[in-house]
Amino acid sequence: MEKVTKPRYAKNGDEAIFSQLRQDVSILVQQLEPKRRGSILLKAVFFPAIYLFTYTTMLVAGNQPGIFYTGYFLLGVFLVMIFLNIIHDAVHNSIFPNKKLNKGYVYLFDLMGANSFVWRQRHIRFHHNYPNVNGWDTDIEQSNLARIFPTGNALPIHRYQHIYLPLLYPLYLFNWLLVRDFKDFFNKKKTIWKLVTIPRGEYVKLFVFKAFFLFYLIVLPKLVLDVSWLQVVTGFTIMLLTASVFSLMVLLSPHANTSSEFPLPDEANSLPHHWMMHMLSTTNDVTNDNWFIRFFMGCFNYHVAHHLFPNVNHIYYPEVTGLLKKYAEKYDLPYRQYSLGDSLGKHYRLLKTNGVTEDIFEETM
């Protein structure tokens, strides 16, 4: 795919508001940093350690079916928690001051089956720069089975997508880890190739890490434990199904719903909003909030703050969001938040709405 010109954001007077908000957020984070630094480092150690402990326990005591299958279930849960609390922040260089340390932690993603190189490109260069922009947001990149973007190509099958897609969603990580990564590497029509040329060395890493992932989760348990191949594959399936459900609760709620805009560039390749307003109009928060979500789920419910300040660690998002709400009230900014149930309901309605393939404006007489 030939490299293309990136869409540009409009300049419409909101820059001064965002500049002041950014300064206030910087001051707030500096004030909180001495108290929160220990928690950031604790998470960086705790979550990989509990993943390794769970895996080791499964290998040692996994001849008991209850421990064996529970181990795979917990590995799926902890995979998502490691992503939300560590990998996601590390790719934004917000765990350690040292970028090399952050980069090293991103390799945890490779150890858990995903290719960190291609995900970094998709997440930073595409999704964060152009959320909800058709042809640029790789997090909701259109496939033939789904019509998420209202301007996406409509196929007759899409009229049933609100029925079959929720049934396919539990296979989300199977597709990502075992199919999508390879497509992004070898299919040069994929969105990532608009801006990125993948180095040869990354192809080697792709196969090495994928092989290691399958080895330690499928082959090694079969070699160490008195279990059948069917039991191991069943455990592996439980792990990925669990991780898929947990991750989609997080990924579906903030962007792909009927309350969010899906802006398009005009003929001059200019988007309709300033950068801040684009993030606010395409992203919403989740009102559900408790200690479990903050510590174990990486404050995923404060997603607007993440898109406005991606290089700020998630542990500061509750206070940053409080400041954002004050700005939204003062300057009439379109900050939005819904319950998790409402957000997922809005996503379902988006599937149903975009599944309509008839042109209601077509002349019939």
Side-chain angles (χ1 to χ4, degrees), residues 227-240:
V227 293
S228 67
W229 283 112
L230 178 60
Q231 287 175 295
V232 175
V233 172
T234 300
F236 181 71
T237 301
I238 290 172
M239 174 184 173
L240 291 190

Side-chain angles (χ1 to χ4, degrees), residues 79 170 173-174 177-178 213 236-245:
L79 184 157
L173 281 185
F174 287 91
L177 305 184
L178 305 177
F213 172 69
F236 181 71
T237 301
I238 290 172
M239 174 184 173
L240 291 190
L241 287 175
T242 302
S244 294
V245 172

Side-chain angles (χ1 to χ4, degrees), residues 55-253:
Y55 177 73
T56 303
T57 300
M58 187 180 73
L59 286 186
V60 172
N63 285 322
Q64 300 180 46
I67 294 178
F68 181 75
Y69 292 119
T70 300
Y72 274 109
F73 169 79
L74 291 176
L75 288 177
V77 173
F78 294 140
L79 184 157
V80 177
M81 291 181 177
I82 290 173
F83 171 76
L84 293 175
N85 288 279
I86 301 175
I87 297 169
H88 192 207
D89 282 298
V91 82
H92 289 286
N93 293 308
S94 63
I95 297 180
F96 306 103
N98 188 313
K99 288 187 177 182
K100 289 184 178 180
L101 281 177
N102 286 302
K103 186 176 181 180
Y105 261 67
V106 174
Y107 277 113
L108 286 171
F109 216 18
D110 295 276
L111 295 174
M112 293 187 295
N115 181 265
S116 65
F117 173 83
V118 78
W119 174 71
R120 180 194 295 271
Q121 308 304 319
R122 291 198 309 240
H123 188 69
I124 301 295
R125 300 188 68 176
F126 291 90
H127 172 65
H128 263 274
N129 282 331
Y130 310 105
N132 286 23
V133 178
N134 194 1
W136 289 91
D137 186 351
T138 51
D139 272 16
I140 51 175
E141 189 171 2
Q142 183 109 11
S143 75
N144 289 334
L145 285 175
R147 188 177 186 234
I148 303 299
F149 295 101
T151 55
N153 293 330
L155 300 175
I157 193 176
H158 292 151
R159 71 180 62 190
Y160 307 110
Q161 67 176 0
H162 63 288
I163 299 173
Y164 63 77
L165 280 180
L167 299 177
L168 294 176
Y169 279 165
L171 303 177
Y172 173 70
L173 281 185
F174 287 91
N175 178 66
W176 182 348
L177 305 184
L178 305 177
V179 178
R180 182 181 178 180
D181 279 344
F182 292 98
K183 284 185 176 180
D184 281 335
F185 267 80
F186 293 98
N187 183 353
K188 294 188 178 181
K189 293 182 180 179
K190 299 292 284 184
T191 301
I192 186 174
W193 286 88
K194 287 183 177 181
L195 301 178
V196 177
T197 298
I198 301 177
R200 291 183 179 180
E202 295 298 333
Y203 286 84
V204 176
K205 293 179 183 178
L206 172 71
F207 285 99
V208 169
F209 278 110
K210 295 289 185 185
F212 180 71
F213 172 69
L214 295 174
F215 173 77
Y216 83 81
L217 285 171
I218 295 180
V219 178
L220 190 57
K222 177 64 177 71
L223 295 176
V224 172
L225 300 171
D226 185 20
V227 293
S228 67
W229 283 112
L230 178 60
Q231 287 175 295
V232 175
V233 172
T234 300
F236 181 71
T237 301
I238 290 172
M239 174 184 173
L240 291 190
L241 287 175
T242 302
S244 294
V245 172
F246 266 78
S247 59
L248 282 174
M249 283 173 42
V250 175
L251 296 175
L252 292 178
S253 57

